[in-house]
Amino acid sequence: MKKGIHPEYHRCKVTCVNCGTTFETGSVLKEIRVESCSNCHSFYTGKAGTIVSDGRIDRFNKKYANSGKKAESK
């Protein structure tokens, strides 16, 4: 390996924003903040979590749910 071109690799602290769990790993960053970890993610815990989704279909359904208009056919 060439000297002087690689980033410095050291121990870093990973913090979960959702549950507050912290652990150490190796990285070129000094601190990493994640939104979910294995302690709080629904895939690992087996519990269903709340998902915030505001996609295009959801916005369409909210917009036209109470319009009360029906399409007229000829």
Side-chain angles (χ1 to χ4, degrees):
M1 290 191 334
K2 290 184 179 180
K3 293 184 179 186
I5 64 168
H6 300 286
E8 185 178 332
Y9 186 80
H10 51 280
R11 303 291 293 174
C12 97
K13 180 180 171 185
V14 180
T15 305
C16 178
V17 177
N18 196 13
C19 67
T21 304
T22 61
F23 58 92
E24 286 190 2
T25 188
S27 176
V28 295
L29 301 174
K30 298 203 185 266
E31 183 179 357
I32 299 175
R33 299 177 68 83
V34 294
E35 297 219 8
S36 62
C37 64
S38 60
N39 289 339
C40 61
H41 194 276
S42 62
F43 179 79
Y44 298 106
T45 61
K47 299 177 184 174
T50 58
I51 298 174
V52 177
S53 63
D54 192 27
R56 294 168 79 188
I57 295 172
D58 294 332
R59 283 185 279 153
F60 176 84
N61 289 335
K62 286 178 188 177
K63 184 176 181 179
Y64 294 106
N66 296 327
S67 65
K69 296 179 182 178
K70 292 185 178 180
E72 296 180 20
S73 60
K74 291 183 180 182

